[in-house]
C-alpha cells in the first residue's frame, strides 16, 4: 500500500466517522467504506510515470530535465501535469522553427531544429505551462475552468461538443484523464498547450480573417498600442511576519468583447467606414443636454467628436471601442460567478469599462452570458417573499450574447471574447439594464483581483502560492491573501501597516458571504475605495456585512467624497458597530439597535419589521444566497447577515470614494466587507411595487 492510498483511506475514515475515529481503531470505521470506490494507485510519481513510458514521453521529460523539474516531480508534493506525447512535442518544435509570422524573432530563438535547439528559457516556458501546483481532476475541468499554471499564466479547459473530450486551451485534447500518482495527477494530451506571446491587440489585428474591421478600428484609434500593460511591481513593501501569502508582483491586462466581421455584417457594417458611421449614429447625440443619456459627458459638457481625429477619446469611434474593453483579464468561465446563490435567481455581475464611468451588466441566462439584458421592473415585486409574477418582468432587451468558451482567445495580457451582436452604451443601458438594485461583490471593485486570478481562488491554491503555509494575525488565520498598499488602483491606505488588508475567497468554507468571499482589515485601519460608477440619480448606498460578537469585529465611521483626498470627505451617519449581533430569540422581540427578528415566524413574512429596520438604517440580508453552499438557510434568516444604509443621496455619474476609518484604539479588531448595493429611488420608493427580498 502506498503513502497516497493510506492518506486516502485516512481521509475517508475521517469523513465517515468524524471525531469517533480518534477514539476507535481504524478497522472499526473501515467496515463502512465501499472499497470498490477507492482509487487504486501505481506507486509511481509523476516523474516515474514519464520515465516508465519513455516511448511516449521522453521528449517532454527531456524538457523537464533541462530546468531540473524532473527532480521536483519525483519528490513529495501535489501537482497536476499535462503531458504531451513525443509526437506532439516534435510537431510543436517544428512549428516554432518554421514560424514565418514572427519575423523579428527568427525560429522563435531556437538554435537548430529538434529538442537540442530549444533554449533553456524556452524549456522553462514549455515545462511550467504544463504544470499546476495543485491537483485538478477531470471532473472539475468538464464544465470549463481557468487555472493558473506554474508559469504564472492561465490555461482554460472546455468540452469538445463533437467528441465529448476535455480540451485544454482550445487545441490540446486530453487523451487519458486522471492518472493518479503519488504526488499528484497526470493527464496525457495530444498537442503541446499553445501559449500566445502576442499582446491582446496583436491577437486581433493578426486575425484579419475574423476581426478585419475591429482590428482596423483599434489601429485608427491608437488603442492598438495603448493596451500593453502586463505587470506592475510599483506597490509598497510590507512586513510579512504574520505569514500570509503576499504577492510579489501584480499582473495587469485587459478583456476585449469584440465583434467579428460576420457579426458586424449582420448589422450591415461591412467596412471601417460603415463602423464609423454606426458609431456616429449611436454616440453622436449621447451628451445632448435635453435628450442625452451619457450623464457624465452631458453634465460635464463634453463635446462628442465625429471628425477623423480617431485618437481623441471622445471621438465616437474611440468611444465605441472603449465600451468593449475592461482593464483586467477575465476568462469566460469567471465572467459571471456563482457560489451560494439560489437556483431561481439570475446570476449577475457589473464591470466598469474603459468608456469613462460606465458599467456593463452581464447575466447568465439558460447557460448563455448576456451583456446588458433588460427586464421590466427589475428588483421589484408584486408578491411577498417572491421574485414577482412573470407579467411584471417582461424582457425588454435580450442583451448581447457572448459566444461560448470555445471561441475565447487568450493573449499574453488578456482575453478576447466574441460577440453575437453589436455592443453599445445607448440609452437602454442607464435607463434600462442598470436601472435596478446593483449588488456588487467586493472583489469586483478591483481589476487586479481578476488579473491575478485571486477572485474565488481556492484555499489549496493560496497555500501552494504560500509554500504550504497559512498565516495568523490575532484571531484571523487561514488561507488569506495579504494585499499590499498600492496594489489596487482603486484603493488608498492612509496609515501604512496600521491597515492590514486581507482577502479570503471562502470557496472551501461555509461563511455567510455573497459569493463566499470577503475582505478583512486588521489594525487601526483607515482606507478608502473608489466606488463603481452609476448612472445619475438618487440612490441608497448600502454595505453588506456579517456581524460578529466577542470583540471580533470593530466599529468604524464612513466618509464619502469625490476623490481620495481626505479634504473632500464628509462623514456619513453615525459609526457602525460591527460587533453587535442581533439576538435570535424565540419571543420575536425586535433587536433594539437593528430591529432584526426572525421573519420566518411572522405572519406577514417580515414586511412590517423590514420597514422598522429601514427606519433604524438597517436591512436583513437578502434571499439571494445561502449561508454556505446548498445549506437551505438564506442570508435573510441569519441574524449576523445585515445591510447598513449608509447614505441616501444624489449620485452623479463620476468619481466617488468611500472611506472606512476605525474609531476604536485597539489593534485587534476586524473590519469586514462583503458587498455594496446601489438602490435607485424608483426601487426603494416605488409607488406601485416594492423592492423584492432577494
Amino acid at each position: 500500500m502506498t503513502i497516497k492510498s493510506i492518506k486516502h483511506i485516512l481521509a475517508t475514515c475521517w469523513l465517515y466517522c468524524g471525531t469517533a475515529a480518534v477514539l476507535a481503531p481504524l478497522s472499526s470505521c473501515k467496515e463502512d467504506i465501499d472499497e470498490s470506490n477507492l482509487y487504486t494507485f501505481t506507486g509511481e510519481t509523476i516523474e516515474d510515470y514519464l520515465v516508465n513510458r519513455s516511448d511516449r514521453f521522453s521528449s517532454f521529460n527531456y524538457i523537464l530535465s533541462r530546468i531540473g523539474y524532473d527532480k521536483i516531480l519525483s519528490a513529495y508534493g501535489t501537482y497536476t501535469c499535462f503531458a504531451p506525447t513525443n509526437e506532439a512535442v516534435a510537431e510543436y518544435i517544428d512549428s516554432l522553427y518554421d514560424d514565418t509570422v514572427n519575423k523579428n524573432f527568427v525560429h522563435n530563438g531556437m538554435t537548430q531544429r529538434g529538442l537540442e535547439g530549444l533554449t533553456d528559457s524556452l524549456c522553462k516556458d514549455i515545462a511550467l505551462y504544463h504544470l499546476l501546483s495543485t491537483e485538478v481532476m477531470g471532473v472539475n475541468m468538464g464544465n470549463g475552468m481557468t487555472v493558473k499554471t506554474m508559469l504564472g499564466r492561465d490555461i482554460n479547459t472546455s468540452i469538445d461538443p463533437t467528441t465529448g473530450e476535455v480540451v485544454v486551451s482550445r487545441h490540446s485534447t486530453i487523451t487519458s484523464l486522471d492518472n493518479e500518482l503519488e504526488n499528484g495527477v497526470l493527464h496525457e494530451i495530444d498537442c503541446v498547450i499553445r501559449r500566445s506571446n502576442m499582446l491582446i491587440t496583436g491577437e486581433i489585428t493578426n486575425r484579419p480573417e475574423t476581426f478585419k474591421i475591429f482590428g482596423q478600428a483599434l489601429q485608427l484609434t491608437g488603442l492598438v498600442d495603448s493596451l500593453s500593460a502586463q505587470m506592475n511591481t510599483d506597490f509598497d513593501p510590507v512586513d510579512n511576519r504574520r505569514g500570509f501569502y503576499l504577492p510579489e508582483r501584480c499582473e495587469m491586462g485587459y478583456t476585449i468583447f469584440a465583434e467579428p466581421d460576420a457579426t458586424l455584417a449582420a448589422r450591415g457594417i461591412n467596412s471601417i467606414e460603415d463602423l464609423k458611421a454606426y458609431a456616429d449614429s449611436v454616440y453622436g447625440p449621447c451628451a445632448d443636454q435635453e435628450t442625452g443619456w451619457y450623464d457624465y459627458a452631458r453634465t460635464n459638457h463634453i463635446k462628442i467628436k465625429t471628425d477623423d481625429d480617431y485618437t481623441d477619446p471622445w471621438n465616437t469611434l474611440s468611444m465605441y471601442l472603449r465600451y468593449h474593453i475592461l482593464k483586467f483579464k477575465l476568462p469566460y468561465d469567471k465572467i459571471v460567478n456563482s457560489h451560494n446563490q439560489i437556483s431561481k435567481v439570475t446570476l449577475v455581475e457589473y464591470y466598469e469599462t474603459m468608456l469613462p464611468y460606465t458599467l456593463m451588466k452581464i447575466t447568465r441566462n439558460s447557460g448563455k452570458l448576456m451583456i446588458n439584458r433588460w427586464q421590466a421592473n427589475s428588483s421589484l415585486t408584486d408578491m411577498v417573499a417572491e421574485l414577482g409574477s412573470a407579467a411584471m418582468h417582461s424582457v425588454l432587451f435580450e442583451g448581447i450574447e457572448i459566444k461560448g468558451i470555445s471561441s475565447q482567445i487568450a493573449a499574453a495580457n488578456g482575453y478576447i471574447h466574441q460577440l453575437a451582436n453589436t455592443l453599445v452604451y445607448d440609452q437602454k443601458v442607464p435607463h434600462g439594464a442598470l436601472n435596478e438594485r446593483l449588488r456588487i461583490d467586493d472583489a469586483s471593485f478591483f481589476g487586479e483581483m481578476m488579473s491575478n486570478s485571486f477572485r474565488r481562488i481556492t484555499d489549496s491554491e493560496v497555500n501552494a502560492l504560500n509554500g504550504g503555509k497559512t498565516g495568523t494575525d490575532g484571531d484571523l488565520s487561514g488561507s488569506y491573501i495579504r494585499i499590499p498598499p498600492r496594489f489596487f488602483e482603486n484603493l488608498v491606505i492612509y496609515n501604512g501597516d496600521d491597515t492590514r488588508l486581507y482577502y479570503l475567497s471562502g470557496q472551501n468554507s461555509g461563511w455567510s458571504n455573497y459569493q463566499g468571499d470577503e475582505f478583512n482589515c486588521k489594525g487601526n485601519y483607515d482606507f478608502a475605495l473608489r466606488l463603481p460608477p452609476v448612472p445619475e440619480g438618487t440612490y441608497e448606498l448600502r454595505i453588506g456585512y456579517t456581524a460578529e460578537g466577542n470583540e471580533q469585529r470593530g466599529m468604524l465611521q464612513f466618509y464619502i467624497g469625490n476623490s481620495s483626498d481626505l479634504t473632500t470627505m464628509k462623514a456619513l451617519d453615525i459609526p457602525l458597530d460591527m460587533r453587535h449581533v442581533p439576538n435570535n430569540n424565540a419571543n420575536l422581540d425586535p433587536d433594539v439597535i437593528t430591529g432584526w427578528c426572525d421573519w420566518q415566524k411572522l405572519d406577514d413574512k417580515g414586511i412590517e419589521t423590514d420597514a422598522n429596520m429601514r427606519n433604524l438604517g438597517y436591512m436583513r440580508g437578502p434571499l439571494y444566497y445561502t449561508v454556505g453552499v446548498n445549506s437551505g438557510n438564506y442570508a435573510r434568516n441569519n441574524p449576523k447577515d445585515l445591510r447598513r444604509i449608509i447614505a441616501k443621496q444624489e449620485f452623479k455619474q463620476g468619481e466617488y470614494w468611500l472611506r472606512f476609518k476605525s474609531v476604536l484604539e485597539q489593534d485587534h479588531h476586524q473590519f469586514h466587507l462583503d458587498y455594496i448595493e446601489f438602490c435607485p429611488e424608483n426601487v426603494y420608493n416605488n409607488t406601485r411595487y416594492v423592492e423584492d427580498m432577494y
Side-chain angles (χ1 to χ4, degrees):
M1 185 176 293
T2 65
I3 294 173
K4 189 166 183 177
S5 57
I6 292 171
K7 285 183 179 178
H8 180 78
I9 291 175
L10 288 172
T12 308
C13 288
W14 182 261
L15 179 66
Y16 276 77
C17 302
T19 55
V22 177
L23 304 175
L26 186 61
S27 59
S28 66
C29 72
K30 189 176 185 299
E31 295 174 356
D32 299 327
I33 302 171
D34 180 1
E35 294 192 8
S36 66
N37 291 328
L38 290 179
Y39 295 108
T40 57
F41 299 96
T42 65
E44 297 176 307
T45 65
I46 292 174
E47 173 63 13
D48 291 335
Y49 188 96
L50 299 173
V51 170
N52 293 339
R53 295 156 186 81
S54 59
D55 59 320
R56 285 189 285 147
F57 300 110
S58 59
S59 294
F60 183 59
N61 202 40
Y62 168 85
I63 292 171
L64 292 170
S65 66
R66 284 275 298 273
I67 62 168
Y69 263 69
D70 56 334
K71 297 179 177 62
I72 290 175
L73 296 179
S74 63
Y76 177 78
T78 304
Y79 306 98
T80 299
C81 175
F82 296 93
T85 62
N86 292 341
E87 293 78 12
V89 173
E91 180 183 355
Y92 181 66
I93 287 175
D94 285 344
S95 72
L96 291 179
Y97 194 80
D98 296 333
D99 182 8
T100 59
V101 175
N102 195 355
K103 295 182 175 60
N104 295 324
F105 198 40
V106 179
H107 302 311
N108 290 282
M110 293 185 63
T111 58
Q112 64 184 66
R113 188 185 298 275
L115 282 169
E116 291 74 15
L118 293 169
T119 62
D120 288 345
S121 61
L122 259 176
C123 287
K124 180 179 179 181
D125 285 355
I126 295 169
L128 298 188
Y129 201 51
H130 289 73
L131 299 174
L132 314 178
S133 56
T134 56
E135 192 173 76
V136 176
M137 306 299 291
V139 66
N140 305 118
M141 295 187 282
N143 293 325
M145 68 181 302
T146 300
V147 289
K148 187 178 288 294
T149 67
M150 293 177 70
L151 186 62
R153 291 180 56 179
D154 293 342
I155 56 175
N156 319 97
T157 69
S158 59
I159 292 290
D160 186 309
T162 304
T163 66
E165 294 175 308
V166 179
V167 178
V168 182
S169 294
R170 301 180 67 193
H171 298 295
S172 303
T173 299
I174 298 181
T175 56
S176 177
L177 270 170
D178 295 348
N179 296 285
E180 290 207 82
L181 303 166
E182 290 296 335
N183 56 351
V185 62
L186 182 144
H187 309 290
E188 298 182 10
I189 55 177
D190 67 351
C191 181
V192 170
I193 303 174
R194 304 298 175 103
R195 66 197 182 286
S196 172
N197 290 320
M198 290 185 186
L199 297 180
I200 192 167
T201 52
E203 282 288 352
I204 289 180
T205 56
N206 279 278
R207 296 170 185 261
E209 72 284 357
T210 305
F211 297 113
K212 179 180 178 181
I213 298 173
F214 202 96
Q216 289 173 327
L218 285 171
Q219 291 172 327
L220 283 174
T221 56
L223 289 169
V224 72
D225 298 317
S226 60
L227 305 181
S228 59
Q230 292 182 267
M231 197 67 62
N232 173 34
T233 57
D234 187 25
F235 49 87
D236 296 343
V238 297
D239 178 359
N240 196 30
R241 66 180 182 274
R242 297 173 181 87
F244 295 97
Y245 170 64
L246 179 69
E248 297 178 354
R249 62 182 190 176
C250 179
E251 293 186 29
M252 302 173 67
Y254 306 90
T255 300
I256 299 179
F257 299 97
E259 294 96 349
D261 291 343
T263 295
L264 294 174
R267 185 174 278 277
I269 300 171
N270 296 296
S271 66
I272 187 64
E273 288 73 22
D274 291 344
L275 184 59
K276 295 176 198 174
Y278 179 61
D280 288 346
S281 68
V282 173
Y283 290 101
C286 71
D288 290 351
Q289 289 303 304
E290 299 299 325
T291 59
W293 61 89
Y294 185 3
D295 300 326
Y296 175 74
R298 179 178 52 80
T299 58
N300 288 281
H301 303 282
I302 292 172
K303 181 174 176 56
I304 307 301
K305 312 288 180 59
T306 57
D307 56 19
D308 59 0
D309 182 8
Y310 304 115
T311 60
D312 188 315
W314 296 108
N315 181 281
T316 56
L317 184 63
S318 180
M319 294 171 69
Y320 178 88
L321 290 185
R322 289 172 186 272
Y323 192 64
H324 288 66
I325 305 171
L326 311 179
K327 287 179 64 177
F328 46 86
K329 298 187 289 187
L330 192 60
Y332 183 89
D333 64 296
K334 294 184 179 180
I335 292 175
V336 175
N337 293 282
S338 62
H339 178 68
N340 51 356
Q341 292 88 343
I342 64 173
S343 59
K344 70 168 68 174
V345 298
T346 297
L347 300 178
V348 60
E349 299 281 357
Y350 304 92
Y351 296 117
E352 185 172 0
T353 79
M354 282 186 65
L355 183 64
Y357 303 109
T358 60
L359 292 178
M360 66 169 58
K361 168 188 173 183
I362 308 182
T363 56
R364 186 187 299 167
N365 300 87
S366 302
K368 294 182 178 180
L369 299 185
M370 310 296 291
I371 303 178
N372 294 334
R373 190 171 190 267
W374 174 20
Q375 280 188 280
N377 301 308
S378 180
S379 312
L380 294 166
T381 185
D382 58 357
M383 303 168 71
V384 178
E386 290 294 340
L387 288 168
S389 62
M392 68 171 293
H393 290 311
S394 59
V395 178
L396 303 178
F397 178 59
E398 286 288 351
I400 308 302
E401 182 184 350
I402 305 171
K403 295 184 179 181
I405 193 170
S406 61
S407 66
Q408 169 181 270
I409 300 169
N413 66 334
Y415 289 94
I416 301 158
H417 303 292
Q418 300 186 43
L419 300 178
N421 209 327
T422 50
L423 173 65
V424 292
Y425 184 79
D426 60 10
Q427 57 187 337
K428 293 192 298 294
V429 182
H431 297 163
L434 297 179
N435 188 21
E436 62 184 7
R437 176 188 57 227
L438 308 174
R439 180 176 297 135
I440 306 177
D441 183 63
D442 49 11
S444 68
F445 296 175
F446 312 111
E448 297 87 352
M449 290 295 298
M450 278 70 79
S451 290
N452 290 273
S453 302
F454 289 165
R455 188 178 187 187
R456 298 199 60 209
I457 192 172
T458 64
D459 287 356
S460 61
E461 289 174 306
V462 176
N463 293 341
L465 290 170
N466 202 27
K469 304 187 298 294
T470 56
T472 302
D473 188 350
D475 58 1
L476 198 71
S477 63
S479 302
Y480 288 78
I481 298 173
R482 172 75 189 273
I483 306 297
R486 297 199 303 126
F487 189 84
F488 292 151
E489 179 182 3
N490 290 336
L491 187 139
V492 173
I493 292 175
Y494 296 112
N495 58 352
D497 200 52
D498 284 340
T499 298
R500 302 187 296 280
L501 180 64
Y502 300 100
Y503 174 73
L504 177 70
S505 76
Q507 305 310 296
N508 304 102
S509 63
W511 299 120
S512 183
N513 290 327
Y514 175 49
Q515 298 190 6
D517 61 354
E518 65 183 38
F519 278 99
N520 289 85
C521 256
K522 294 285 286 185
N524 295 313
Y525 52 84
D526 188 1
F527 69 99
L529 59 83
R530 180 176 172 273
L531 290 169
V534 293
E536 183 175 304
T538 299
Y539 294 84
E540 280 186 351
L541 175 62
R542 308 164 180 168
I543 179 174
Y545 72 100
T546 54
E548 289 289 350
N550 301 320
E551 298 294 308
Q552 183 172 335
R553 295 282 193 252
M555 182 184 291
L556 71 150
Q557 177 67 54
F558 297 103
Y559 302 79
I560 196 167
N562 294 114
S563 77
S564 59
D565 186 340
L566 291 176
T567 63
T568 72
M569 300 279 185
K570 66 174 183 180
L572 293 173
D573 204 5
I574 62 174
L576 169 64
D577 191 347
M578 289 186 166
R579 299 169 299 177
H580 179 76
V581 179
N583 181 25
N584 187 13
N585 52 42
N587 58 15
L588 292 180
D589 290 336
D591 180 75
V592 65
I593 293 177
T594 68
W596 194 96
C597 63
D598 190 347
W599 69 282
Q600 301 170 98
K601 299 176 181 178
L602 301 173
D603 293 338
D604 68 351
K605 297 187 178 181
I607 293 176
E608 182 179 351
T609 50
D610 279 346
N612 293 337
M613 287 187 70
R614 287 182 55 81
N615 291 334
L616 295 170
Y618 288 90
M619 297 176 67
R620 292 179 171 93
L623 286 172
Y624 189 88
Y625 64 92
T626 59
V627 180
V629 180
N630 299 323
S631 69
N633 183 26
Y634 301 111
R636 181 173 168 84
N637 307 348
N638 183 13
K640 292 184 178 183
D641 268 290
L642 295 168
R643 286 176 280 180
R644 172 70 176 266
I645 303 169
I646 59 176
K648 187 182 295 184
Q649 66 176 60
E650 182 184 21
F651 283 85
K652 300 291 186 182
Q653 187 176 21
E655 192 95 354
Y656 288 92
W657 287 74
L658 187 64
R659 180 187 178 195
F660 309 83
K661 187 179 189 305
S662 174
V663 298
L664 300 176
E665 294 184 358
Q666 297 95 329
D667 181 75
H668 64 273
H669 293 292
Q670 288 183 21
F671 164 81
H672 169 270
L673 175 63
D674 188 6
Y675 59 90
I676 61 104
E677 289 180 353
F678 280 99
C679 189
E681 185 175 27
N682 68 294
V683 172
Y684 72 77
N685 196 27
N686 195 279
T687 57
R688 182 177 180 183
Y689 302 117
V690 295
E691 181 181 352
D692 65 48
M693 295 178 181
Y694 290 80

